[in-house]
């Protein structure tokens, strides 16, 4: 096992080679670390900026052993990494952060909601769904319409569909793949907010200012930060993040999506045990962005400052949006971040732009 804090020159492993892994690798390099990537697909965005890329499935024991031998600590860029991979790495004596407990709860939406409720955090009402036959009774309790989501996997609007009445139960269940699911009551919220928080190995917690998010088609389009929120809302968000971090004995950066109700209450929509799209604004809005913060936490370093030094609107660049790169690059207050992906499929996240302006 490695001794913490890790000195510069150590190697950090990342499971996953997408854009989040890429930005983690770039942040790690700034702090003097090397990065090794394990990613099933060839020529990944993260692999192209890392010192070692292992192209193999996440359940490939030989590849995991190679990663373990190459690294002082391993983290992951997305929560759908098989939990068994973390256990295998631990068996090789490799430290993994965040730990298996975070994955166990966040890989299953029902278990995630139960965890939140058990730790005094409010969520939308929900019911576990094992078959289409469970939906009518659950709909009766929750009210219609309600949102049906697969318990596992699914992101950016995938693996979910609205159920308007009991007569749609079979069709909607089939539409999400007839997999174990969660049915969530409709939240009558006025806006979606998010908070990005981190916890270090010594238990230190750091929380960034809140962001206000706008979605289209189930995909995040913009985050504006710092969000205009009263102190009571900010303080409640900090409390929620702290309860989650402590409850998971967490090390690293965590994203928390929140619904703000008309009466000011906050409900947790989802948590993500990783750096998060709604935290991309921190790259140009804070001295220590979420990616550096995550590297600091898993490496056992002190956490960095989280205060906003400017206001930012982050816009996701989806598909052909990235073809506007020259136009965006000419904007005087825009900072362009492209992910090095070749195939600009519709809806695919190709990059983002942070537009900065002075704090009010």
């Amino acid at each position: 096992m490695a001794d913490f804090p890790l000195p510069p020159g150590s190697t950090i492993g990342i499971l996953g080679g997408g854009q989040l892994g890429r930005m983690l690798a770039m942040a790690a390099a700034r702090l003097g670390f090397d990065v090794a990537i394990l990613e099933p697909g060839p020529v990944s965005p993260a692999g192209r900026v890392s010192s070692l890329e292992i192209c193999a499935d996440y359940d490939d024991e030989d590849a995991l052993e190679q990663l373990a031998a190459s690294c002082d600590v391993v983290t992951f860029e997305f929560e759908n990494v098989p939990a068994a991979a973390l256990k295998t790495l631990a068996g090789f004596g490799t430290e993994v952060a965040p730990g298996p407990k975070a994955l166990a709860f966040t890989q299953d939406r029902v278990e995630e909601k139960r965890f939140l409720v058990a730790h005094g955090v409010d969520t939308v009402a929900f019911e576990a769904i094992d078959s289409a036959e469970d939906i009518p009774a659950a709909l009766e309790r929750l009210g219609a319409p309600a949102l049906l989501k697969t318990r596992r996997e699914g992101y950016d609007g995938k693996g979910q569909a609205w159920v308007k009445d009991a007569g749609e139960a079979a069709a909607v269940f089939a539409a999400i793949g007839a997999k174990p699911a969660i049915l969530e009551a409709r939240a009558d919220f006025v806006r979606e907010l998010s908070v990005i928080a981190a916890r270090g190995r010594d238990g230190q917690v750091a929380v960034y200012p809140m962001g206000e998010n706008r979605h289209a088609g189930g995909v995040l389009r913009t985050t504006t930060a710092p969000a205009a929120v009263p102190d009571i809302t900010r303080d409640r968000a900090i409390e929620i993040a702290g309860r989650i971090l402590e409850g998971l004995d967490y090390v690293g950066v965590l994203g928390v999506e929140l619904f703000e109700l008309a009466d000011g209450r906050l409900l947790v929509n989802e948590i993500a045990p990783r750096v998060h799209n709604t935290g991309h604004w921190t790259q140009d809005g804070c001295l220590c962005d979420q990616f550096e913060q995550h590297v600091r936490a898993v490496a056992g370093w002190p956490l960095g400052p989280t205060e906003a030094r400017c206001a930012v609107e982050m816009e996701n660049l989806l598909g052909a949006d990235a073809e506007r790169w020259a136009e965006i690059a000419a904007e005087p207050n825009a900072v362009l971040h492209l992910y090095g992906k070749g195939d600009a499929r519709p809806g695919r996240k190709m990059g983002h732009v942070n537009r900065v302006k002075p704090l009010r």
Side-chain angles (χ1 to χ4, degrees), residues 4-23:
F4 295 97
L6 297 179
S10 302
T11 300
I12 296 174
I14 302 175
L15 295 170
Q19 67 263 20
L20 299 180
R22 179 186 179 94
M23 290 181 277

Side-chain angles (χ1 to χ4, degrees), residues 143-283:
L147 187 59
L148 188 69
K149 299 178 180 178
T150 54
R151 284 180 69 152
R152 292 180 173 271
E153 300 181 339
Y155 60 94
D156 289 344
K158 299 177 178 68
Q160 61 182 257
W162 286 95
V163 186
K164 297 177 184 176
D165 57 60
E168 292 185 341
V172 175
F173 190 69
I176 66 163
K179 299 175 180 178
I182 183 172
L183 190 66
E184 297 179 351
R186 182 175 179 272
D188 189 18
F189 62 95
V190 294
R191 59 178 173 170
E192 184 191 286
L193 300 167
S194 58
V195 63
I196 305 298
R199 184 172 180 267
R201 291 188 176 275
D202 60 356
Q204 178 190 4
V205 171
V207 182
Y208 288 93
M210 300 180 74
E212 181 174 344
N213 308 315
R214 183 178 66 84
H215 290 76
V219 181
L220 180 71
R221 293 312 310 255
T222 64
T223 294
T224 303
V229 297
D231 290 347
I232 191 172
T233 301
R234 179 204 63 207
D235 292 346
R236 177 56 179 156
I238 292 172
E239 179 188 359
I240 287 170
R243 289 190 180 207
I244 295 169
L245 291 167
E246 294 295 329
L248 293 173
D249 191 23
Y250 198 85
V251 174
V253 165
L254 176 94
V256 185
E257 296 177 2
L258 300 155
F259 292 142
E260 182 186 34
L261 306 186
D263 62 5
R265 288 188 301 132
L266 294 176
L267 302 180
V268 173
N269 176 30
E270 290 186 350
I271 59 178
R274 53 174 171 80
V275 288
H276 197 255
N277 197 169
T278 64
H280 290 356
W281 72 271
T282 63
Q283 288 176 297

